[in-house]
Amino acid sequence: CSFSKYAGFTGVRLGWTVVPEELKFSDGSSVRDDFQRVMTTAFNGASNIVQSGGLACLEEEGQREIGVLIDYYMENAILLKEAMESIGLRVFGGDNAPYVFVQLPEGKSSWEMFRENLEQAQVVTIPGAGFGPGGEGYLRLSAFASRETIVEACARLIKTMAPKER
C-alpha cells in the first residue's frame, strides 16, 4: 500500500507491503525472507520526517483530513469528467480515482493532443501512450489541483478539445 495518492504523498515515497509468512517459492524457501533481503539491500528506508507524516495519516485526525482531501479532489474529477462529456468525448474514471481518461477522436494521437493542449490552452495533460500501447488514443487528466485551476483548465480544454466543425 502507498501513501502517494491516498494521502497526497506524491513525490515522497512511503508505503508498506505485507508478505505472508506462509508464502513460499516452489523450492520451499520463504518469499518473505527474500523480499526482506532485497528491500534492505536496495532501499535505505524513509526519512524520519516522512515516517512521522505516515503515522500521522493513520491517526483519527489524519484519517479525517485525508477524507476531506479525497472528497475535494473527487469533486475536481467530476468537473473534469463533465467538461469532457459536455463536448461529446467518451470518458473513463473520475468516479473512484482522481484521474479521468478521455478517449480521443479517431486518428488523434495522445501525443498530438498533449501538444495541442499545451500550446493552445497552456494546460498540461498526460498522453495515454505513456501508459503503454493500450493507452494510445487516450489522454489522462489529473484532478490534483486547486478548484480554481481545475475550473480554468476545464474551460481551456473545452475550447481546445471540442470537435471542430467541418
Side-chain angles (χ1 to χ4, degrees), residues 148-165:
E148 180 182 334
T149 299
I150 292 293
V151 168
E152 179 67 24
C154 286
R156 292 180 186 191
L157 289 171
I158 286 171
K159 288 180 185 173
T160 306
M161 294 181 68
K164 310 296 183 238
E165 298 295 324

Side-chain angles (χ1 to χ4, degrees), residues 109-121 125 127:
S109 82
S110 61
W111 279 106
E112 183 182 358
M113 192 76 252
F114 163 81
R115 256 188 311 280
E116 287 179 27
N117 287 332
L118 186 60
E119 292 171 2
Q120 297 172 25
T125 55

Side-chain angles (χ1 to χ4, degrees), residues 66-77 143 145-148:
I66 290 169
V68 169
L69 276 175
I70 288 171
D71 290 345
Y72 182 84
Y73 291 127
M74 291 310 298
E75 289 169 11
N76 282 352
S146 70
R147 182 66 39 79
E148 180 182 334

